[in-house]
Amino acid sequence: MKKSQAKRFKLPPLSVLPAFSATARTGSLTLAAAEMHLTPGAVSRQIKALEDALGTPLFHRSHNATALTAAGRQFLTHVNGALATLETGARAVSPERSCLVIQAPITIARRWLIPRIGSYRQAHPSEDLVIQSLALGAAEPADITITYRRCGDSDDHALAFLVDRTLAVCSPQFFARSERELDARDVLGLPILLDTADAWSWRRWCDAAAIPFEPKGGSIGFDTDEAAIDACISGLGIAQVSPAFIEKELRSGQLIALCPSISPIVGAYEIARRAPSGTPDSFSTWLSQWGHAEI
C-alpha cells in the first residue's frame, strides 16, 4: 500500500517580505518605498502578491496610511523574526563585513572606550561595532562584555585590562585653585558626591589617607559614577573619579585634583568573551594593549 504523504504547505514569495515589514513599520507605502529605493506602486504590488499567496488581507488601506489587520499583526512577528535570523546568518558567513557587539558599564564606554576606539576601527575597517550599556539591558547577545569588580591595592589584577584608581576632584568654580592647600580631613569638610550607596570609593580613599570616613559637609548620592562626574563638573561638590575617565577635564582645568598623592585602587575592569573567535580575540587584544599601557 502506498504511504500517504502530508501535503507540504506552499510558502509565499519570500522576496516580498522586506516590503511587508517596511510598510508595517512605517505605516506608509511611500515611506517604505523610499527606504527600499522602489516606487510606491512596486511596494503595493509586492504586498498584494503576498496577500494573494496567503489568501488573507494584511493591511487596512486608506488614502494616507496603511494599518495592519489582525492577520497582518500575527504574520509580522514571524516575518521580523525570520528576517533577523537571515541577517544574522548572512553576517556570519559574509567575507566582507562582520559585526562585534560590545557591552560595557556606561562610564567606561563613554569616557574611556569611545575616545580610543577609532584606532581599532582604522585597523578593522570591515567590522561593524555595536556598543551597548550594561545599565540599559542587553538588546542582543554580546561578543565582548567588559565587567567591573571591586578590589584593593593588594588584590590580584592579572585579569584586569584597566585598573580603576580613584582621585578626589572638583570644579574650580567650587574651590579656587588659589586657596590654601587642603589635607584629607579638610576635604571631608566639604560637600561630597557619592557614586554608590555605600560610598566605596570614598571609604577606600579615606583608608589610603589613614583617616576615618566621617563626612562633615553633607553629600549628594548617585547611582552611577557618570552622574557623579557630571555633578562634579557642575560644581556641586567633591567627587572620587578615575583619572583615566577625566583626562580631558584635568588637562583643560575643568576639574582639579585635591590631595593628588592619595589615589588608591578601588576596582578593575576585565574582559569576558562569549566564545572564542577571531573578531572578539582581536578586540580583546587591542583592549588589553590600550589598558595595560595606562596601568
Side-chain angles (χ1 to χ4, degrees):
M1 180 181 294
K2 186 177 181 179
K3 294 183 179 179
S4 61
Q5 295 181 344
K7 184 178 180 181
R8 184 176 179 180
F9 182 79
K10 184 178 180 180
L11 291 173
L14 301 183
S15 61
V16 304
L17 296 182
F20 166 67
S21 178
T23 303
R25 176 165 42 79
T26 62
S28 166
L29 290 171
T30 301
L31 292 177
E35 183 178 297
M36 301 183 68
H37 305 288
L38 298 173
T39 66
V43 172
S44 179
R45 286 191 293 273
Q46 289 188 22
I47 292 174
K48 182 63 168 58
L50 180 60
E51 291 176 324
D52 289 345
L54 293 173
T56 185
L58 300 174
F59 290 101
H60 298 295
R61 292 168 173 81
S62 67
H63 291 295
N64 298 320
T66 59
L68 287 167
T69 63
R73 288 193 298 271
Q74 182 178 0
F75 188 52
L76 180 64
T77 61
H78 299 288
V79 169
N80 285 345
L83 292 175
T85 299
L86 288 172
E87 181 180 356
T88 300
R91 286 184 181 275
V93 301
S94 173
E96 296 182 358
R97 301 205 65 81
S98 60
C99 182
L100 180 66
V101 180
I102 306 156
Q103 291 176 359
I106 187 169
T107 303
I108 192 171
R110 289 185 59 188
R111 293 186 166 271
W112 191 91
L113 181 59
I114 291 174
R116 293 164 174 79
I117 207 166
S119 67
Y120 183 81
R121 291 279 291 142
Q122 290 178 351
H124 302 81
S126 64
E127 190 169 299
D128 296 326
L129 301 178
V130 177
I131 301 176
Q132 299 175 344
S133 170
L134 287 174
L136 299 180
E140 55 186 299
D143 300 297
I144 291 287
T145 301
I146 297 175
T147 62
Y148 182 81
R149 67 178 174 89
R150 291 181 175 184
C151 60
D153 298 87
S154 61
D155 292 300
D156 182 11
H157 306 131
L159 298 178
F161 73 88
L162 183 66
V163 170
D164 183 26
R165 290 187 175 274
T166 194
L167 188 67
V169 297
C170 71
S171 166
Q173 70 188 76
F174 177 83
F175 178 77
R177 190 188 294 271
S178 60
E179 294 187 25
R180 69 183 181 86
E181 186 73 21
L182 295 181
D183 63 24
R185 292 182 186 276
D186 293 329
V187 171
L188 288 181
L190 301 171
I192 64 172
L193 306 173
L194 307 176
D195 56 10
T196 59
D198 61 357
W200 167 252
S201 296
W202 275 104
R203 293 181 187 279
R204 289 283 300 130
W205 188 84
C206 288
D207 288 344
I211 61 172
F213 175 64
E214 296 176 349
K216 307 291 187 182
S219 66
I220 305 176
F222 302 91
D223 59 355
T224 66
D225 42 4
E226 180 68 22
I229 293 171
D230 288 342
C232 186
I233 293 173
S234 297
L236 295 180
I238 314 298
Q240 291 291 337
V241 184
S242 170
F245 295 161
I246 53 170
E247 293 173 326
K248 180 178 67 175
E249 289 81 4
L250 289 174
R251 285 196 304 267
S252 67
Q254 191 176 14
L255 291 175
I256 59 175
L258 303 178
C259 306
S261 62
I262 306 173
S263 185
I265 293 174
V266 296
Y269 290 92
E270 299 172 350
I271 307 167
R273 301 171 181 82
R274 182 174 65 177
S277 69
T279 297
D281 286 347
S282 65
F283 185 82
S284 297
T285 300
W286 172 85
L287 203 59
S288 297
Q289 290 172 344
W290 258 108
H292 288 141
E294 300 179 17
I295 290 178

